[in-house]
Amino acid sequence: MAKGHFGLIGLGVMGENLVLNAERNGFSSVVYNRTPQKTEEFLAGRGSGKQIEGAYSLQEFVDKLERPRRILMMIKAGQAIDDTIASISPYLEQGDLLIDGGNSLYSDTERRVAELESRSFGYIGMGVSGGAKGALEGPSMMPGGTRQAYEDIRSLVERMAAKVDDGPCVTYIGPGGSGHFVKTVHNGIEYGVEQILAEAYDMMKRGAGIEPAVMADVLGQWNSMEELSSYLVEITEVCLRTRDPESGGPLTELILDVAGQKGTGLWTVISALEMGVAVPTIYESVNARVLSSLQAERVKAESVLHGPGPMTLDLGTPGNGMAPLRDASILSIMASYAQGIALLQEASRIHHYDLNIAGIAQIWKGGCIIRARLLQRIQDAYRQNGELPNLLLDPWFAEQVNRRLPGLRQAVSEAVRAGIPVPCFAASLNYIDSYRTARLPQNLVQAMRDCFGSHTYQRIDREGTFHTEWLS
Ligand code: NAP
C-alpha cells in the first residue's frame, strides 16, 4: 500500500471536512483521532470509498505517511496540542512537519515553533477560517512559521484553499506565531461585525417596530451594496428569514439572547491593550457578549432600572434601506477592520512579523467568515500605500466616513434617546471622532497627573519637559 501524502489528527467538525478537501485535491490521506470509534465511523461514512486510511496509534499513523511527513493537527487548542506534540515527537524524523490548524494562542505557537524547529522538525501555526463548509469547499488559511516550512506545504494548502480572482486564499503570513495572530485578529473583526449587525437588528426591532421578514429585505438591500456585501450580511438575512418549523414564527425570536466567547475575541482585546492599540469597536463586541451572559440578572434589572418611555425614532424606512442604520453599520464595520489592521501593523512592528496587509486582505476575500467586497478596497488601499497609518485615511474610506458620519451620529443619538444599547455603533463613532480630533482633552489629564504625581508634561509652545507646583 502506497504511503499517504497527508496526515490529519482530529476528526472533529473541521478536521473531517479538511481531510475530505485534501483528498479531493489529490492528496491521499491518513487519519487519526484520540477516540478510535470516531475514526471507524468516519471511514465507514463520509470517508468511505476515498483515498483515506485510518490509524489507531500514533506510531501506525506516522508509519503510514510518506516522508517528509505533513501532519495537520485539528484539535482543541491549549494543552491538547502540547500533549499531542509530546506523544507524536518520538516517531517523527528530521524534516517532518507539524501544522496546528486550531485556534491556538499566538504566544503558544511562538514557543512551539522555536522548540520544534530546534529539533529539526518544521512547525506551522495556521489559522483556518470558514467553518465546516469552508473547510470542505475551500477555507481561508493563515500559515505562520519559517518560510521553508511554508514552502513544504504550499502545494497542499494552495490547492485546498478558497480561490478568488487573484489567487488562492492562503499565503505565507510570517514567522513564529504570526499566522495564529492574524487569525485571532480576523476573529476579533468577526466579533465586531456580528455585534454591529445585531445592533442594527435591535434598532429596527425596538426602535422602529419592524418585523424580521422586513428586516431581512433591508439586509438583502444592504448585501447588494459594495460597502456591505459580505458573508455575514448574507447569513444575517437568512437567519432573519428562517421560521421555526413548529410555531411558524421567526426562529430568531425564540433563541436565547446569550452569546459566549471562546477566546479569540478576548485575545484580540488583550493583545491590543498590551500593544497600546485602540480597538474599541472590537472591545465592545466582547463586552456585549459578556453582558449578554448575565441573562437572569438582566431580566430582574429590567423591572428595577427604568429607561425612557416609548417614542418615535428617525431611523429612515425599509424602502430607503434604513439609511442611518445602514450608514452606522457601514462605518462601524469599517472601524472594526481599521482597528484590526492597526493591531496587525503594531504586532508586526513589535514581533518583526513583516506582515503584508494587502496580502492578508487578499486571502480574507474568500473562504473566511469576514469575507466581504470591502476587502478589495482594503487590499487596494494597502497596495497603494503599505505604510498607511489608518485605513480610514485612505481617500476612498475617508470619503465614506465624511459622507456617512451624519448617519452614524443620528443612529447613535436616536439609540441613546430611546435607551437602546448600541455599544459598537457608539464605540465606532467615538473612535472616529477621537481620531479626527487634532486636539483632545488629554492636556488636562497630563495636568492632573503632574499635579498629584509630578509626572511632568510637555508644552505645545516650546521644547522640553516641565513640572509645575500646582498646589503651592
Ligand atoms: P471539535 O469538533 O470540537 O473536535 C475536537 C477534536 O479535538 C476532536 O477530534 C477531539 O478528539 C480532539 N481533542 C480534544 N481534546 C484532545 C486532546 N486532549 N488530545 C487529542 N485530541 C483532542 O473541534 P473543531 O470545531 O473541529 O475545532 C478544532 C480546532 O479548530 C479548534 O482549535 C477550534 O477552535 C478551531 N476552529 C474551529 C472552527 C469551527 O468553525 N468549528 C473554525 C476555525 C477553527 P475526540 O474525538 O477524541 O474528543
Side-chain angles (χ1 to χ4, degrees), residues 276-293:
V277 179
V279 295
T281 307
I282 297 171
Y283 185 22
E284 284 303 335
S285 69
V286 178
N287 276 336
R289 291 195 188 191
V290 174
L291 276 164
S292 83
S293 69

Side-chain angles (χ1 to χ4, degrees), residues 9-18 32-36 38-39 73-81 83-84 100-104 126-133 135 180 183 187 262 264 369:
I9 300 178
L11 283 166
V13 178
M14 294 296 283
E16 219 181 86
N17 287 293
L18 284 167
Y32 170 86
N33 192 73
R34 177 183 62 173
T35 310
K38 242 190 214 172
T39 310
M73 297 179 287
M74 211 60 211
I75 62 174
K76 208 171 153 220
Q79 193 56 43
I81 294 285
D83 293 347
T84 303
D100 170 12
N103 281 335
S104 291
M126 181 168 80
V128 178
S129 176
K133 197 163 182 283
H180 277 139
K183 173 65 186 344
N187 285 21
K262 281 202 267 176
T264 43
I369 305 297

Side-chain angles (χ1 to χ4, degrees), residues 196-197 199-205 207-208 210 218 222 228 314-316 321-332 407-408 410-412 414-415 422 425:
I196 288 158
L197 295 173
E199 291 175 15
Y201 150 83
D202 204 18
M203 287 293 283
M204 284 193 259
K205 176 164 118 175
I210 294 172
V218 171
W222 289 8
L228 282 169
D314 182 4
L315 298 172
M322 309 300 292
L325 295 179
R326 178 200 63 208
D327 289 351
S329 301
I330 290 173
L331 289 192
S332 301
L408 171 57
Q410 185 175 337
V412 172
E414 292 296 83
V422 285
F425 284 170

Side-chain angles (χ1 to χ4, degrees), residues 68-319:
R69 300 177 178 92
R70 287 173 291 194
I71 298 169
L72 173 65
M73 297 179 287
M74 211 60 211
I75 62 174
K76 208 171 153 220
Q79 193 56 43
I81 294 285
D82 285 316
D83 293 347
T84 303
I85 293 172
S87 313
I88 200 170
S89 293
Y91 308 113
L92 296 180
E93 291 166 276
Q94 195 169 358
D96 288 349
L97 198 147
L98 283 173
I99 309 161
D100 170 12
N103 281 335
S104 291
L105 183 60
Y106 81 102
S107 48
D108 284 346
T109 305
E110 297 280 345
R111 168 176 57 78
R112 292 170 188 147
V113 169
E115 241 171 64
L116 275 284
E117 289 283 344
S118 73
R119 293 159 62 189
S120 304
F121 304 138
Y123 194 84
I124 294 262
M126 181 168 80
V128 178
S129 176
K133 197 163 182 283
L136 181 65
E137 293 172 3
S140 174
M141 294 187 268
M142 294 148 249
T146 65
R147 193 171 275 280
Q148 181 55 50
Y150 177 68
E151 289 305 327
D152 292 343
I153 61 159
R154 187 178 177 151
S155 63
L156 171 75
V157 289
E158 284 192 349
R159 276 203 249 165
M160 287 175 71
K163 311 285 180 304
V164 288
D165 289 349
D166 50 355
C169 293
V170 62
T171 189
Y172 175 61
I173 296 291
S178 60
H180 277 139
F181 189 78
V182 170
K183 173 65 186 344
T184 297
V185 174
H186 163 289
N187 285 21
I189 295 170
E190 177 187 315
Y191 270 55
V193 178
E194 287 164 0
Q195 174 63 21
I196 288 158
L197 295 173
E199 291 175 15
Y201 150 83
D202 204 18
M203 287 293 283
M204 284 193 259
K205 176 164 118 175
R206 294 201 285 151
I210 294 172
E211 293 298 320
V214 178
M215 292 183 210
D217 293 340
V218 171
L219 268 289
Q221 284 180 49
W222 289 8
N223 200 34
S224 67
M225 299 173 66
E226 180 186 7
E227 295 88 335
L228 282 169
S229 175
S230 59
Y231 175 68
L232 283 170
V233 171
E234 185 187 314
I235 64 165
T236 306
E237 179 187 349
V238 170
C239 293
L240 289 167
R241 265 195 218 295
T242 302
R243 299 198 161 263
D244 172 44
E246 279 168 39
S247 66
L251 182 56
T252 49
E253 304 318 292
L254 298 174
I255 296 177
L256 186 69
D257 53 333
V258 172
Q261 44 115 6
K262 281 202 267 176
T264 43
L266 176 71
W267 295 343
T268 305
V269 172
I270 290 174
S271 309
L273 292 173
E274 281 172 354
M275 294 182 199
V277 179
V279 295
T281 307
I282 297 171
Y283 185 22
E284 284 303 335
S285 69
V286 178
N287 276 336
R289 291 195 188 191
V290 174
L291 276 164
S292 83
S293 69
L294 305 178
Q295 200 255 349
E297 280 180 53
R298 286 188 288 110
V299 168
K300 281 189 199 135
E302 188 177 75
S303 59
V304 179
L305 308 171
H306 306 297
M311 62 181 73
T312 308
L313 302 183
D314 182 4
L315 298 172
T317 62

Side-chain angles (χ1 to χ4, degrees), residues 361-407:
Q362 193 266 330
I363 64 164
W364 285 351
K365 286 194 299 188
C368 70
I369 305 297
I370 63 168
R371 63 185 183 261
R373 274 177 69 191
L374 194 62
L375 282 156
Q376 183 61 55
R377 293 284 183 179
I378 297 177
Q379 186 182 356
D380 293 344
Y382 287 92
R383 251 198 208 144
Q384 271 156 30
N385 180 4
E387 303 303 312
L388 191 65
N390 189 295
L391 178 65
L392 303 182
L393 293 179
D394 169 78
W396 187 83
F397 283 92
E399 191 278 328
Q400 290 279 333
V401 171
N402 290 332
R403 178 148 48 99
R404 301 189 189 280
L405 205 48

